Amino acid sequence: MSTKKRILFIAQEMSPYLELTEYAAMVNKMAIKSNEAGLEVRVIMPRFGIINERRHRLHEVVRLSGINIVIDGDDYPLIIKVASLPNARLQVYFLDNEDYFKRKSLFHDEQEQFYDDNGARAVFFCKGALETVKKFGWPPDVIHCSGWMTSLIPAYLKTAYKKEPVFSNSKVVYSLEAPAFSESLGDGFIKKAMINGVKEKDLEPFKEGTAAALNRGAAKYADAVVISSDAIDKKTVDELKAEKGKIIVPYRNDNEDLSDYLAMYQQLLGNK
């Protein structure tokens, strides 16, 4: 049995599959660097409709598919696909669903209207990612989340999934990025996000449904926060620094070798 420490990246975007911002390349580099540093690495991301399955050689993992994700009383089948990251010996898993991810645009329709189910799509992805890890039976030591669609995962790990054996030793990192949208996820977002006995008060930081609120909620529940943009306001950073025991990795645009990230992982793994 492998004695390697395990790191799971749960990402909204990652090169070469989807590149919305410069952070897609960063996720790719973090996964490869962690792999080269002797960690066992896996990646989970959404299978958005604009990702080319043929070019990237995605194929369905039948033994993992078949999970149903319940959101607000409705069942949504979770389809899991996999690809090997080019030039690296690690697997990227893609979460798919006909209702939420087949469309050929990301978060806005052809008239540039924000999809009214974006909140439900985020809940589906976050819950689906954690259920997928349970199905793997692969306990991650560190879970590094990036992108607003992953923002509920730190909260879920500390509430709905805190008694799950597969996550009993998991530390969670959140990359704090510049707000990605100007709209709100709507009044029904918190109700949909209340999965597996999560209470409304647990989701209080997220209640506005704005990109800033999602950042704030994820950062509150994370064990470590990476400041991944110089556009994060000073007040937010100061509030984080005031929280006892939380590891903060400050923004640096010259961290090409990712030494700050690797040092953070080692600190979370107890190898200071």
Side-chain angles (χ1 to χ4, degrees):
M1 196 167 156
S2 174
T3 57
K4 283 186 176 182
K5 295 293 187 179
R6 293 168 169 171
I7 182 163
L8 172 69
F9 292 94
I10 305 180
Q12 181 173 304
E13 57 174 321
M14 179 186 187
S15 300
Y17 309 107
L18 181 66
E19 296 170 327
L20 305 173
T21 69
E22 292 177 358
Y23 210 71
M26 181 66 85
V27 177
N28 177 292
K29 284 174 65 178
M30 287 190 296
I32 291 172
K33 282 276 188 184
S34 299
N35 196 45
E36 290 171 349
L39 297 169
E40 194 176 324
V41 179
R42 291 186 183 181
V43 182
I44 294 176
M45 63 180 289
R47 210 298 287 180
F48 289 111
I50 63 171
I51 294 173
N52 189 311
E53 291 199 7
R54 183 175 294 176
R55 183 191 309 144
H56 297 301
R57 300 182 179 179
L58 274 65
H59 60 271
E60 185 175 347
V61 188
V62 177
R63 67 182 177 82
L64 293 176
S65 296
I67 304 169
N68 272 8
I69 302 298
V70 179
I71 300 174
D72 201 17
D74 293 322
D75 277 36
Y76 296 90
L78 174 63
I79 299 162
I80 300 171
K81 298 174 180 176
V82 70
S84 294
L85 187 66
N87 304 315
R89 295 182 65 182
L90 59 94
Q91 302 292 297
V92 181
Y93 293 87
F94 297 82
L95 306 194
D96 202 355
N97 172 267
E98 188 80 33
D99 294 288
Y100 289 142
F101 294 117
K102 288 296 183 193
R103 61 195 76 165
K104 292 295 184 182
S105 49
L106 291 172
F107 307 121
H108 296 81
D109 64 18
E110 291 173 356
Q111 284 73 46
E112 291 301 312
Q113 294 297 307
F114 198 58
Y115 286 124
D116 58 10
D117 65 350
N118 277 334
R121 295 169 83 202
V123 174
F124 175 88
F125 178 63
C126 291
K127 185 175 182 182
L130 297 176
E131 290 296 327
T132 298
V133 177
K134 281 174 60 181
K135 192 108 177 199
F136 283 159
W138 187 84
D141 296 287
V142 175
I143 300 173
H144 190 157
C145 302
S146 58
W148 68 266
M149 284 197 80
T150 73
S151 59
L152 288 166
I153 287 173
Y156 286 168
L157 285 167
K158 300 297 172 68
T159 55
Y161 289 84
K162 68 179 179 182
K163 293 183 179 175
E164 290 289 346
V166 75
F167 299 118
S168 60
N169 295 312
S170 299
K171 299 291 186 184
V172 62
V173 181
Y174 185 73
S175 284
L176 198 61
E177 301 175 43
F181 59 90
S182 57
E183 301 87 351
S184 166
L185 295 178
D187 296 338
F189 170 59
I190 293 300
K191 184 170 183 285
K192 288 182 173 65
M194 289 164 59
I195 64 163
N196 302 28
V198 172
K199 297 180 172 55
E200 190 169 353
K201 65 180 176 60
D202 297 326
L203 300 174
E204 179 71 20
F206 299 89
K207 70 177 182 181
E208 293 170 12
T210 60
L214 299 183
N215 268 344
R216 198 160 50 242
K220 171 185 166 58
Y221 280 103
D223 298 297
V225 176
V226 174
I227 312 297
S228 58
S229 167
D230 57 0
I232 306 298
D233 64 278
K234 186 175 181 299
K235 184 185 175 200
T236 300
V237 176
D238 288 344
E239 286 173 358
L240 285 170
K241 286 178 179 175
E243 289 191 41
K244 193 174 179 183
K246 196 181 295 290
I247 299 169
I248 310 293
V249 179
Y251 175 73
R252 276 179 51 190
N253 62 5
D254 61 344
N255 188 27
E256 280 297 311
D257 63 355
L258 301 185
S259 55
D260 291 356
Y261 291 83
L262 293 171
M264 170 193 63
Y265 299 147
Q266 292 302 327
Q267 189 174 348
L268 289 169
L269 292 168
N271 305 326
K272 298 180 185 178

